[in-house]
Amino acid sequence: MRYNRVLLKLSGAAISGTHDVGFDPESLEYIADEVLNLHACGVEISIVIGGGNIFRGTLASQWGIERAEADNIGTLGTVINSLMLRGVLTSKSDAEVRVMSAIPINTVAESFIRLRAIRHLEKHYIVIFAAGIGNPYVTTDYTAAQRAIETRSQALLFAKNQVSGIFTSDPHADPHARLYRRMHYNTIIQKNLTIADQSSVLLARDHKMPMHFFDFSDKGTIERICRGQDIGTLVADVDEDIVE
């Protein structure tokens, strides 16, 4: 294996399927199967999942809710999603799955303690990090980068929906758009790309954390990436390579 410990970043939309809100049983089943297959290969895996399927910033703007309050609502949405994902994972396997929350909710999840999270991974538990880092104005993209670094993960896997990587332009609008096979962190910053929150890219760059952007709907992709295939776009301290 190229990577023995990774963090998988999922969006809230990943578990809502074709719906704008809520949960899609088929999507949850698919996510669980992908995670459990990777876990069965011996890879230590942690997960950060967004809360967009429960509450989006556009609703906050519509109702005049200030950003800090809206972020707190969204943070609690990530807790619900984390508990839902744990439920599906444990129903499908004997794997030990722990939810660790940055906001104390002791009756339903462990409080996040960095060394305990590392110990869980060493014991081959699946760990789901909920509630961001416990503060507003911080995206789950940034949370994923921070938790990956804190837990000594070897790579950060950004699962995207129907997006196979980072392109030179919008592939839906430009038929000549080309895929970056490899890209330097700085290119995302300089070109103001929105593939991920730029604060997460800066944090990953400063700590030399490889980032993989790929289409999660392609079955088995996370396993193939961990085994050494560069699927989608690798963002790291590398020379750029564009598919011709």
Side-chain angles (χ1 to χ4, degrees), residues 34-209:
E34 290 294 287
V35 170
L36 291 172
N37 286 341
L38 184 62
H39 180 260
C41 294
V43 177
E44 298 169 1
I45 181 169
S46 60
I47 302 167
V48 169
I49 185 166
N53 61 310
I54 295 175
F55 185 81
R56 292 183 179 276
T58 51
L59 289 176
S61 299
Q62 179 180 342
W63 293 330
I65 301 174
E66 63 176 311
R67 171 67 185 275
E69 189 72 24
D71 282 359
N72 288 335
I73 298 169
T75 293
L76 294 178
T78 71
V79 176
I80 294 171
N81 285 342
S82 297
L83 295 174
M84 177 65 79
L85 184 55
R86 178 177 66 182
V88 177
L89 288 167
T90 54
S91 73
K92 294 175 67 68
S93 77
D94 295 327
E96 188 72 33
V97 184
R98 298 295 177 90
V99 173
M100 303 191 81
S101 173
I103 296 174
I105 314 177
N106 296 332
T107 57
V108 296
E110 297 180 35
S111 293
F112 172 74
I113 299 174
R114 186 181 71 88
L115 293 179
R116 181 176 292 173
I118 292 172
R119 181 58 179 154
H120 285 340
L121 291 168
E122 290 173 343
K123 292 165 69 175
H124 207 46
Y125 294 176
I126 297 170
V127 182
I128 307 173
F129 298 117
I133 62 170
N135 296 310
Y137 305 106
V138 178
T139 66
T140 49
D141 285 354
Y142 184 88
T143 298
Q146 179 165 324
R147 293 293 186 246
I149 294 164
E150 288 178 314
T151 56
R152 305 170 189 158
S153 297
Q154 296 170 306
L156 176 52
L157 310 183
F158 268 89
K160 295 296 180 179
N161 298 321
Q162 306 300 321
V163 178
S164 56
I166 304 175
F167 289 80
T168 54
S169 57
D170 183 355
H172 299 294
D174 182 2
H176 302 293
R178 295 177 297 163
L179 175 71
Y180 281 93
R181 192 182 306 275
R182 296 182 183 86
M183 171 184 278
H184 196 279
Y185 306 102
N186 291 339
T187 302
I188 295 179
I189 306 303
Q190 293 164 359
K191 294 190 175 183
N192 197 30
L193 302 180
T194 58
I195 191 71
D197 175 19
Q198 293 194 0
S199 63
S200 69
V201 178
L202 289 169
L203 185 62
R205 181 196 67 183
D206 292 347
H207 294 270
K208 301 186 183 302
M209 174 66 64

